Amino acid sequence: MSVQVEKLENSMAKLTIEVAAEEVEKAIQAAYMKQKGKISIPGFRKGKVPRHMIEKMYGTGIFYEEAANSLIQENYPNAVEECGEDVVSRPTIDVVQLESGKPFVFTAEVALKPEVKLGKYLGVQVTKVDIDVTDEEVTEAVEKERQKNSRMITVTDRPVQTGDTVVIDYEGFVDGVAFEGGKGENHSLEIGSHSFIDTFEDQLVGKNPGDETEVNVTFPEQYHAPELAGKPALFKVKLHEIKTKELPELNDEFAQDVSEFETLDEYRADVRKHLEVEKENAAKRTKEDEAIQKIIDKSEIRIPEPMLDTQCENMVNEFAQRIAQSGLSIEQYMQFSGLTLDKLKEQVRPEAETRIKSSLVLEQIAKEENIEVSDEEIDAEVAKMAASYGMEADKLKEYLGDAEKKSIRRDLSVTKAVDLIMENVKERAKAKTKKEEKEADAKEDTTEE
């Protein structure tokens, strides 16, 4: 295999990859072996038709597509590694030559990591973040824990109130006809959760167990089912049961139940400590994000479009994996939300751009500051990863290839670059108005000059 690189505009490149003729023949033969069982020709048993007979009847190119796919999958990754370029997008492939007895030639148009011209990155001003924990915040956190430890009890002496959970049967009708998905039995519904459309929940307030009622609603104009969008509907509802939360009393016994502490005061003090840590960590992330964004704003970066497209695709795939853990497929999510794959990619595009620019400026800072990562630091990171997976570090290290180790080294160098930035930031009080914020930014720009 040989590869030639042609640099194009806007950090793009065309790789021309040539594969030896003997490899082409092997790929065509492999394609024949894979497909021959599916091809029938009179006079031959299925799966026993000679290759030359198939090619004579269907044309010599019958196995080319399968062979080309195989050759591209096998040779493209090697070509990227051989050319030494930092490819940051999926390739656009074009087959130039595919013929038995001749080399296979194909091109791959790819985005390369763009050049970054850094602006000021040491001494960046960030807004000071308040990390004081108030008594109200402690009370709110304790109340959340109290809500978590509540229990549901059945109510029989009053009608439905907002905040109750009701158990209902329901069936929906549009123009007098029941519609698909509009029926449920023994369904638990929290009144005030707004999980049902329009004023459905509000119309159950004041009803009693055993009541049968009619609820009139209108579907939203942007409803995911087009046949229902914007239409009025009638639901027949039967109310079986009313349930409400019973909260534990806030006392020492509650503290003992939810913590290792004996008194409520001790428990509140521990809650405050945890909130202080959370606020400190959140403040650190906020200041890091602000500092990095200011560096991005003062730097010159031109992201090639395929690089951004690839990042958007990766983020959509990450999202699909997250929702799959809750038992929802990406197809189901798009059906419920009314989004298409293109709209989903468009939604994540701003964050995708920020992620790319953040990564690029931090890698460039690491490069310009000659930040190095030792093998010992990589080993320590692998040990941390292994502990989180419940594995032995040496065993995990055996599984890691050069690409994974390179990624770990890059991530550690980026972390060091962030540490360097934050060690040199200058904090300023939060501006009360947008005008004051602009004046402070202008003053910083003047100081740089």
Side-chain angles (χ1 to χ4, degrees), residues 343-388:
K343 285 181 180 178
L344 201 53
K345 288 178 183 177
E346 198 60 36
Q347 278 190 358
V348 303
R349 195 174 180 85
E351 185 184 346
E353 185 172 353
T354 298
R355 282 193 191 184
I356 291 172
K357 288 183 176 180
S358 297
S359 178
L360 289 173
V361 297
L362 291 171
E363 287 178 26
Q364 188 64 27
I365 290 169
K367 182 179 178 181
E368 295 198 9
E369 291 290 332
N370 296 314
I371 292 174
E372 295 183 354
V373 176
S374 67
D375 292 340
E376 290 76 16
E377 288 173 314
I378 292 178
D379 289 342
E381 185 64 21
V382 171
K384 283 167 59 179
M385 291 168 61
S388 68

Side-chain angles (χ1 to χ4, degrees), residues 96-366:
V96 177
Q97 177 176 282
L98 174 55
E99 188 177 339
S100 182
K102 294 183 179 181
F104 174 52
V105 182
F106 68 100
T107 61
E109 192 166 315
V110 295
L112 305 180
K113 183 182 288 187
E115 180 184 354
V116 178
K117 293 182 180 178
L118 289 172
K120 177 183 178 181
Y121 59 87
L122 295 181
V124 175
Q125 285 194 2
V126 296
T127 306
K128 189 173 183 178
V129 180
D130 181 16
I131 58 172
D132 291 334
V133 175
T134 65
D135 291 342
E136 289 76 13
E137 288 170 327
V138 174
T139 298
E140 183 180 345
V142 172
E143 182 61 27
K144 283 183 181 177
E145 189 64 30
R146 190 175 172 224
Q147 293 285 340
K148 280 169 56 179
N149 285 272
S150 64
R151 66 189 184 98
M152 299 299 291
I153 60 170
T154 301
V155 177
T156 58
D157 59 349
R158 63 165 177 79
V160 175
Q161 297 176 355
T162 299
D164 288 342
T165 295
V166 295
V167 180
I168 58 172
D169 294 343
Y170 63 89
E171 185 172 15
F173 301 83
V174 170
D175 297 329
V177 179
F179 57 87
E180 186 178 352
K183 186 175 182 179
E185 294 181 351
N186 294 317
H187 181 84
S188 292
L189 173 64
E190 183 181 344
I191 304 300
S193 64
H194 305 295
S195 54
F196 270 34
I197 63 168
D198 203 12
T199 60
F200 186 103
E201 296 164 26
D202 299 337
Q203 294 179 57
L204 297 182
V205 173
K207 305 301 180 185
N208 292 283
D211 284 355
E212 295 185 18
T213 187
E214 293 183 350
V215 172
N216 290 284
V217 294
T218 301
F219 283 98
E221 293 290 342
Q222 302 301 319
Y223 197 61
H224 64 81
E227 68 276 10
L228 299 176
K231 291 189 175 180
L234 179 145
F235 282 85
K236 293 182 179 179
V237 181
K238 182 172 183 178
L239 176 61
H240 291 298
E241 196 175 6
I242 304 171
K243 296 182 178 181
T244 191
K245 285 181 180 179
E246 184 178 67
L247 298 172
E249 288 188 42
L250 276 178
N251 52 26
D252 292 346
E253 186 178 344
F254 168 75
Q256 292 163 17
D257 287 341
V258 300
S259 72
E260 74 241 27
F261 300 100
E262 292 296 320
T263 69
L264 184 60
D265 287 343
E266 289 174 322
Y267 173 59
R268 286 180 63 90
D270 185 65
V271 169
R272 183 181 292 276
K273 286 180 183 178
H274 280 89
L275 289 175
E276 287 171 348
V277 172
E278 287 177 10
K279 274 202 165 185
E280 286 173 6
N281 291 335
K284 181 174 180 288
R285 291 192 297 270
T286 298
K287 287 188 284 190
E288 285 177 358
D289 290 345
E290 183 181 353
I292 293 169
Q293 186 58 55
K294 286 196 169 184
I295 296 168
I296 290 171
D297 292 341
K298 296 177 187 298
S299 301
E300 292 182 26
I301 313 167
R302 189 173 181 181
I303 302 174
E305 200 65 25
M307 182 182 189
L308 188 54
D309 290 340
T310 299
Q311 180 65 40
C312 290
E313 289 173 16
N314 291 341
M315 289 174 65
V316 169
N317 290 337
E318 289 171 8
F319 175 70
Q321 290 171 4
R322 287 198 302 274
I323 64 171
Q325 293 173 357
S326 63
L328 192 68
S329 70
I330 189 66
E331 290 78 17
Q332 289 171 322
Y333 172 81
M334 288 191 290
Q335 182 183 358
F336 295 150
S337 65
L339 291 172
T340 63
L341 200 55
D342 287 340
K343 285 181 180 178
L344 201 53
K345 288 178 183 177
E346 198 60 36
Q347 278 190 358
V348 303
R349 195 174 180 85
E351 185 184 346
E353 185 172 353
T354 298
R355 282 193 191 184
I356 291 172
K357 288 183 176 180
S358 297
S359 178
L360 289 173
V361 297
L362 291 171
E363 287 178 26
Q364 188 64 27
I365 290 169

